[in-house]
Amino acid sequence: MDVRAKTVSNAIARGVLQVAESLDVSGEQFLRLAGLTRAEVFQPHGRVAGHKHQRLMRLTEHAPVNTSLLRGGLEPLFADYLNLASVCTNCATLREAVDTFLRYRGVIGELDVLVCRERDDALLFDYISDDPLESSGKSALANFALLVKLVRHYSLDRAPRFDCALQAAPLRQAAAVDAFFEGPVASHQTANQLKVTCAALDTPFTHHNPLLHAVFLASLSAEHSAIVQPDSFAGRVTQFVRDALVSGRDDLAVSDDRLLDQLCEAMNLTRWTVRRRLQGDGCTYKDLVVHVKLAEARRLLREDTMPLGLISDLLGFASQGSFTRFFKANEGVAPLTYRRAAPMGWTPHP
C-alpha cells in the first residue's frame, strides 16, 4: 500500500523537452499537452507528479530512442543525480554498486520496479512499469542502459555479457541498441529482462574511496528520505508509527492499540476522527501499521544481522513465530529467505 502520490525527477522532463524541441516540436505546446509548466520542469531538484510523467512519456511513445543513452559512460548521471552517481560509481564491489542503485533509484523516479535475482552466476533484472499503457520499451531500455554502464564501470578487463529482452516491438534504432548491448535485443517478449553474466561481481574495486563513499552515501540517504516523506494526514500517521518503532523509547509502546491511543493524544484527536480522516486518504490505521512494520522489517533484515527474535520484539510481535507468519503473509517469503536474497536488492512482491 502506498499512502503518497509517487513522483519522478523533473530532470527526465527536461531531457524529453530538449529532444522534442530538437525535432522542431513546440515546447510550450508539448508541456501543455502533458499538463506541465516550465516552472515544474526547470525547478532545481524538482519532482513531477506521477500521472503527469506518464502523460509525458505517452506523448513521446513514437519518437525515436534518445541514443545519447547508449553513448559514453555514467558521466551524464552526475549532472542531475550527483549523490546517486557518486555513490554508485565508488562502491567496494560491483555487487554493492548494484544493490545501492536498486535501493536508491527512487531519486530518479518511483513509477516502476526493478527486481534483481541471482541465478547460475548471472544477475537477472526484471523491469516492471507502473503504467499499464507503457508499450514503447523506452523506460525499460533506459534502466537497462544504466545497469550496463554500471557493470562496465566495474568490470574493467573482465568482459561482461548482456542478454536483453523487451516486451515492446523492435525499436527504430535497433542497430544502435544491439551494438550497445553487444548482441541482438529480443522483442515481443513476455517480460522486460536483462541478464548480466559477469565474473567481477565481488572483485574489489581498486578505485574505491571509503571516505568519499561515506560522505556521498549520507547525502544520498538524506535525499532519498526527503523524497519519500509523505505529506498527507495518512503520511503524518505513518511517520508517527515509524518513529515509535525505530526510536527505541520505552514510553512509546509498540502495541498497535496502545500506539493508536498515543497517536490520538499527540494529535489531540479522537479515534473516530483519526479513522475518518484516514478513510479520506483511502486507507485504515491497520493498513498503515502493516505498511510501516513491513518496511522496517525489510530494513532490519537487509542492513543488520540482528536475530529474528530481537526484530520480532522491536516490531511489537508476541513471538518470533508470529513475526515470521506476518512477514511471509505480506512478503511472500520467510524472513531468513528474504535476508539471504536482499543483498542483491531482490524483493518478491515489490
Side-chain angles (χ1 to χ4, degrees):
M1 181 205 61
D2 197 342
V3 299
R4 179 184 56 86
K6 295 180 180 180
T7 62
V8 176
S9 167
N10 62 353
I12 296 177
R14 286 197 299 274
V16 171
L17 181 63
Q18 290 173 359
V19 171
E21 292 179 335
S22 72
L23 298 173
D24 295 326
V25 176
S26 167
E28 297 302 326
Q29 181 181 11
F30 196 76
L31 291 177
R32 186 166 59 252
L33 290 172
L36 289 165
T37 65
R38 283 196 171 268
E40 288 177 286
V41 173
F42 290 97
Q43 177 187 3
H45 310 295
R47 308 286 293 182
V48 170
H51 68 280
K52 292 185 178 182
H53 173 80
Q54 289 177 339
R55 191 182 306 165
L56 180 71
M57 299 311 293
R58 290 169 192 167
L59 288 172
T60 65
E61 182 176 2
H62 300 293
V65 172
N66 182 2
T67 54
S68 65
L69 291 171
L70 310 177
R71 296 193 294 269
L74 289 163
E75 295 83 1
L77 201 63
F78 284 86
D80 297 306
Y81 313 105
L82 175 62
N83 293 321
L84 181 66
S86 298
V87 175
C88 287
T89 57
N90 182 31
C91 288
T93 64
L94 172 58
R95 185 184 296 275
E96 181 183 318
V98 170
D99 181 34
T100 300
F101 180 74
L102 293 173
R103 186 174 303 178
Y104 291 106
R105 58 188 289 277
V107 301
I108 300 177
E110 306 171 283
L111 290 182
D112 48 18
V113 175
L114 191 58
V115 182
C116 179
R117 294 167 287 143
E118 189 167 1
R119 182 182 300 166
D120 299 331
D121 297 325
L123 301 182
L124 297 178
F125 297 93
D126 286 284
Y127 176 86
I128 306 163
S129 174
D130 275 10
D131 187 355
L133 299 181
E134 166 69 33
S135 60
S136 68
K138 292 178 186 175
S139 296
L141 179 66
N143 278 271
F144 290 163
L146 287 176
L147 285 168
V148 167
K149 291 182 176 185
L150 188 63
V151 171
R152 286 174 174 158
H153 176 76
Y154 283 87
S155 297
L156 301 178
D157 58 342
R158 300 192 177 197
R161 176 183 170 184
F162 306 102
D163 296 287
C164 183
L166 299 177
Q167 291 175 295
L171 300 167
R172 289 166 60 181
Q173 291 89 349
V177 174
D178 290 350
F180 175 78
F181 287 99
E182 300 178 354
V185 173
S187 57
H188 295 303
Q189 301 300 299
T190 57
N192 297 308
Q193 189 171 85
L194 175 69
K195 180 180 179 181
V196 177
T197 306
C198 179
L201 271 178
D202 298 301
T203 301
F205 187 51
T206 56
H207 302 299
H208 173 57
N209 185 315
L211 176 60
L212 289 180
H213 182 271
V215 170
F216 280 105
L217 181 59
S219 297
L220 175 60
S221 180
E223 180 184 357
H224 187 260
S225 295
I227 291 170
V228 302
Q229 286 296 326
D231 53 13
S232 62
F233 178 74
R236 294 196 298 274
V237 173
T238 300
Q239 191 61 48
F240 184 93
V241 175
R242 182 180 293 115
D243 289 345
L245 290 177
V246 303
S247 66
R249 288 170 50 193
D250 293 336
D251 60 326
L252 283 177
V254 292
S255 162
D256 297 351
D257 195 61
R258 174 60 182 143
L259 192 56
L260 179 56
D261 288 337
Q262 293 168 343
L263 170 72
C264 292
E265 182 178 351
M267 293 186 171
N268 195 26
L269 298 172
T270 66
R271 285 190 173 206
W272 182 86
T273 301
V274 169
R275 289 180 176 128
R276 179 178 56 81
R277 294 188 63 177
L278 287 176
Q279 186 177 23
D281 280 349
C283 59
T284 68
Y285 174 71
K286 181 179 179 181
D287 288 337
L288 295 181
V289 172
V290 169
H291 174 72
V292 173
K293 286 190 175 184
L294 189 60
E296 185 62 11
R298 291 194 198 106
R299 184 186 71 81
L300 291 171
L301 290 167
R302 281 198 314 263
E303 301 177 3
D304 209 329
T305 57
M306 186 181 295
L308 292 189
L310 183 53
I311 294 177
S312 172
D313 291 342
L314 288 175
L315 298 181
F317 289 93
S319 67
Q320 181 178 323
S322 60
F323 165 63
T324 298
R325 289 190 294 274
F326 164 84
F327 192 87
K328 190 170 184 179
N330 288 280
E331 192 66 16
V333 294
L336 287 179
T337 302
Y338 180 92
R339 171 170 273 170
R340 286 192 294 269
M344 288 315 306
W346 174 71
T347 53
H349 297 295

